[in-house]
Amino acid sequence: MSDAVPETETLQGRVEPEYDPAAPAPLTVPRTPTGHAEVDAQLERLGDADHLATDGHLEVYEDVHRGLRDALTALDARPETPAPPPSYDKRAPSPSYGTRS
């Protein structure tokens, strides 16, 4: 048994493959750039699944998920900017301290 797609001849004499609903087809889902190079590269990697049979999608999706998770982890690992100092000195007693009514 052959995995080849049957071909049909058109009126113009060209031979074209017959439509196969099980054949890989692009999803044509738009991928909008985020401006973050690592994330954009992973989103573009999703396009690789467009040319694979369904059983090949899982590997691409897992790879993209891993890459996105790594990019998110890298954001958490970056040093934070120091917090601004408080607007009051916590060591000084409040003005009402020690007064009785």
Side-chain angles (χ1 to χ4, degrees):
M1 179 178 217
S2 172
D3 288 337
V5 177
E7 296 178 345
T8 58
E9 191 170 331
T10 64
L11 294 177
Q12 293 82 16
R14 293 181 305 199
V15 176
E16 293 184 1
E18 201 172 287
Y19 173 71
D20 180 8
L27 296 174
T28 63
V29 175
R31 290 180 287 278
T32 307
T34 64
H36 190 276
E38 291 176 67
V39 172
D40 291 341
Q42 293 302 321
L43 293 177
E44 284 302 314
R45 170 91 168 93
L46 286 173
D48 294 348
D50 286 349
H51 309 289
L52 298 173
T54 307
D55 60 350
H57 289 191
L58 183 59
E59 184 179 339
V60 173
Y61 295 156
E62 286 178 342
D63 184 47
V64 170
H65 181 261
R66 189 177 316 107
L68 291 172
R69 187 181 59 230
D70 291 347
L72 186 58
T73 301
L75 290 175
D76 289 340
R78 291 186 182 147
E80 294 183 24
T81 56
S87 59
Y88 60 92
D89 187 358
K90 292 182 180 179
R91 295 174 289 171
S94 68
S96 62
Y97 181 76
T99 56
R100 297 181 186 213
S101 40

